[in-house]
């Protein structure tokens, strides 16, 4: 991938882009929204505080390049049809949008009725999960996170499992409970083994946690039996979303051996509604960590397979007026990169489908303030977080809202996702015995 005219820092839009917005003309993310109650969902992009309804532009014939001409992909309530088209189509639409939204382009700027139909105030729209996600896989690709958790549960000598430096560890997650930012998160009930006892009990989890993650949406799928070479993996990666992989640590601890997490993570996963494309992220490419031992050939990558993408977690309790920043990390800390994750996922011949979600695992950095979950930030609850106003937190209480954001900035460019947020609400009442 190379930089092109859509990355020119001098570009400006006739659509207002407030100072500091992550939704600049250089970003042009994709999402699915409803313009209001009762409307059908459709695909849009966002610039400043405005959502651009791509189904309206498509119906007007404004995407008339060779990849998109005559197609109907943006009137759908999901990105899947667009994802299946692949990078030439994604680039064609990005270029068309960049040109349409520029200050000097009259097509949309001077057409009042088209503007009224296509440009909508973001705060009046409802954002949805951007794709129909058939399968969700969660990796465990941060060395700092895996090491911290390993130290807590197995001691410093056995912190990383013997396989960890050799392959990107993952588990198959639950796709049905993926929800868009803003959806309340109900405290899960489950089985736990209280400390110092030998009899498991049932009830609301007492140790609900967040996990700061970033995922990618799969573009064109593959056939069963087909392997994706690591150097072609990005052809199947559309863009990134922010992910909060909510986790019930007490349920997880009692259930996870030998097959990994199950109910401790299947109750909800929040994603940002806006998908930031690899094209938009191109100016922020970076190497990522040195890998030692060197991975096997099928996982060996060259160039810059990562991005310098700062990530922030803020917590708002019911007593706090403002969200309080509790962690700051960066996507570039990930040890295993997205190309390796995708290549590894298909090395058995496992097929991919457009809209599949693969998430990074908790992204922690080397420093204490870069830890991407409460389990690490409070060291299993032994070091409570001190919040403004004298409150303390070890794990999440009912009413707590967790807000993940990610914004990359460099050389006059600034792009980001907007929030990936969710608030914990009390556990459901238990069903009455019959
Ligand atoms: Mn996770």
């Amino acid at each position: 991938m190379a930089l092109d005219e859509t990355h020119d820092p001098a570009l400006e839009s006739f659509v207002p882009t407030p100072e500091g917005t992550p939704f600049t003309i250089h970003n042009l993310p994709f999402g699915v929204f409803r313009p209001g109650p009762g409307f059908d969902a459709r695909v849009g992009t966002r610039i400043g505080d405005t959502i651009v309804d791509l189904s309206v532009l498509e119906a007007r014939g404004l995407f008339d390049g060779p990849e998109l001409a005559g197609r109907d992909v943006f009137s759908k309530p999901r990105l899947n049809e667009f994802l299946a088209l692949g990078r030439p189509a994604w680039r064609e639409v990005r270029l068309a949008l960049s040109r349409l939204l520029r200050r000097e382009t009259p097509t949309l700027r001077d057409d009042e009725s088209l503007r009224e139909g296509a440009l909508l105030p973001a705060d009046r729209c409802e954002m949805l999960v951007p794709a129909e996600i058939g399968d969700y896989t969660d990796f465990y690709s941060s060395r700092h996170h895996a090491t911290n958790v390993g130290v807590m549960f197995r001691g410093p000598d056995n912190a990383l499992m013997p396989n960890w430096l050799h392959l990107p560890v993952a588990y198959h997650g639950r796709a049905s409970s993926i929800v868009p930012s803003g959806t309340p998160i109900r405290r899960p009930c489950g089985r736990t083994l209280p400390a110092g006892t030998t009899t498991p009990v049932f009830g609301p989890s007492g140790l609900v946690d967040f996990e700061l993650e970033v995922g990618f949406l799969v573009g064109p799928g593959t056939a069963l039996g087909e392997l994706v070479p690591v150097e072609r993996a990005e052809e199947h990666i559309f863009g990134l979303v922010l992910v909060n992989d909510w986790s019930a640590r007490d349920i997880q601890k009692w259930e996870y051996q030998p097959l990994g997490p199950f109910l401790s993570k299947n109750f909800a996963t929040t994603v940002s509604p806006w998908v930031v494309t690899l094209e938009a992220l191109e100016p922020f490419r970076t190497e990522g960590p040195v890998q030692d031992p060197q991975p096997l050939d099928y996982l060996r990558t060259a160039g810059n397979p990562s991005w310098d993408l700062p990530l922030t977690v803020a917590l708002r309790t019911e007593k706090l007026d403002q969200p309080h920043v509790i962690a700051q990390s960066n996507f570039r800390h990930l040890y295993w990169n997205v190309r390796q994750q995708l290549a590894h996922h298909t090395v058995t011949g496992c097929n991919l489908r457009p809209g599949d979600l693969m998430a990074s695992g908790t992204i922690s950095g080397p420093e204490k303030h870069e830890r991407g979950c409460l389990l690490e930030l409070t060291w299993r609850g032994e070091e409570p977080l001190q919040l403004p106003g004298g409150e303390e937190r070890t794990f999440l209480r009912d009413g707590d809202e967790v807000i993940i954001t990610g914004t990359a900035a460099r050389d006059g460019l600034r792009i980001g996702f907007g929030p990936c947020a969710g608030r914990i609400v009390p556990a459901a009442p238990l069903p009455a015995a019959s």
Side-chain angles (χ1 to χ4, degrees), residues 138 171 211 213 245 265 361-362:
D138 197 21
Y171 67 97
E211 288 191 339
E213 304 196 16
D245 178 29
K265 286 166 182 281
T362 306

Side-chain angles (χ1 to χ4, degrees), residues 136 138-140 145 171 210-213 243-247 249 252 261 265 359-362:
Y136 159 45
D138 197 21
F139 282 86
Y140 192 58
H145 172 67
Y171 67 97
F210 65 87
E211 288 191 339
L212 166 60
E213 304 196 16
V243 177
N244 184 342
D245 178 29
W246 303 96
S247 299
R249 300 301 182 192
Q252 186 177 359
K265 286 166 182 281
S360 57
T362 306

Side-chain angles (χ1 to χ4, degrees), residues 60-355:
R60 263 304 179 98
L62 291 171
F63 301 120
D64 57 357
E67 300 290 332
L68 263 289
R71 291 193 189 274
D72 171 19
V73 292
F74 295 135
S75 67
K76 306 284 193 290
R78 55 190 201 164
L79 279 169
N80 299 53
E81 282 76 8
F82 182 51
L83 298 180
L85 296 180
R87 180 133 285 118
W90 307 335
R91 294 180 65 109
E92 186 178 291
V93 171
R94 175 178 168 83
L95 182 59
L97 279 175
S98 171
R99 288 176 176 169
L100 263 179
L101 293 169
R102 286 175 204 174
R103 191 180 288 281
E104 62 272 22
T105 310
T107 317
L108 180 56
R109 187 193 66 194
D110 296 348
D111 186 331
E112 196 183 333
S113 76
L114 182 58
R115 258 193 351 257
E116 263 176 28
L119 302 185
L120 308 162
D123 59 6
R124 277 198 237 145
C125 299
E126 179 195 0
M127 297 304 302
L128 307 172
V129 172
E132 207 171 289
I133 298 171
D135 279 294
Y136 159 45
T137 302
D138 197 21
F139 282 86
Y140 192 58
S141 290
S142 158
R143 183 173 185 166
H144 302 289
H145 172 67
T147 302
N148 283 335
V149 173
V151 168
M152 274 183 253
F153 290 100
R154 289 183 299 275
D157 296 335
N158 306 299
L160 285 182
M161 296 297 273
N163 59 4
W164 201 92
L165 291 170
H166 295 272
L167 53 80
V169 169
Y171 67 97
H172 286 115
R174 184 74 193 168
S176 67
S177 55
I178 295 172
V179 296
S181 180
T183 305
I185 305 301
R186 193 170 284 289
R187 179 178 297 276
C189 288
R191 304 286 301 259
T192 61
L193 186 68
T197 72
T198 52
T199 309
V201 298
F202 177 84
S205 167
L207 305 182
V208 174
D209 199 355
F210 65 87
E211 288 191 339
L212 166 60
E213 304 196 16
V214 173
F216 63 82
L217 285 184
V218 169
T222 58
L224 190 62
E226 181 185 347
L227 283 64
V228 177
V230 71
E231 62 272 14
R232 303 194 63 174
E234 284 191 11
E235 293 172 21
H236 297 271
I237 299 176
F238 173 65
L240 306 186
V241 287
L242 301 176
V243 177
N244 184 342
D245 178 29
W246 303 96
S247 299
R249 300 301 182 192
D250 41 3
I251 297 173
Q252 186 177 359
K253 191 178 176 193
W254 176 233
E255 74 172 4
Y256 87 100
Q257 286 177 319
L259 291 184
F262 179 34
L263 307 182
S264 55
K265 286 166 182 281
N266 79 352
F267 56 96
T269 304
T270 303
V271 295
S272 65
W274 293 109
V275 191
V276 175
T277 62
L278 298 202
E279 283 71 33
L281 285 158
E282 189 60 25
F284 306 96
R285 287 252 180 212
T286 186
E287 268 186 332
V290 173
Q291 296 183 319
D292 181 21
Q294 198 173 58
L296 293 185
D297 282 347
Y298 82 95
L299 291 177
R300 210 166 288 174
T301 51
N304 291 321
S306 192
W307 297 276
D308 179 9
L309 170 61
L311 302 163
T312 299
V313 184
L315 175 64
R316 176 157 47 195
T317 69
E318 285 180 328
K319 289 185 186 159
L320 288 176
D321 302 330
Q322 293 291 325
H324 178 68
V325 173
I326 58 172
Q328 288 176 295
S329 187
N330 194 306
F331 187 84
R332 70 180 156 80
H333 293 315
L334 275 186
Y335 186 87
W336 294 105
N337 61 59
V338 292
R339 299 176 192 168
Q340 294 172 321
Q341 290 168 347
L342 189 132
H344 187 63
H345 205 297
T346 64
V347 78
T348 54
C350 171
N351 52 325
L352 303 172
R353 292 182 295 187

Side-chain angles (χ1 to χ4, degrees), residues 368 371 374 376-386 393-394:
K368 242 180 159 173
R371 294 173 178 172
L374 287 170
E376 289 173 84
L377 285 165
T378 70
W379 209 255
R380 269 193 295 193
E382 291 163 19
E383 301 168 19
L385 289 182
Q386 308 299 325
R393 277 297 179 281
T394 49

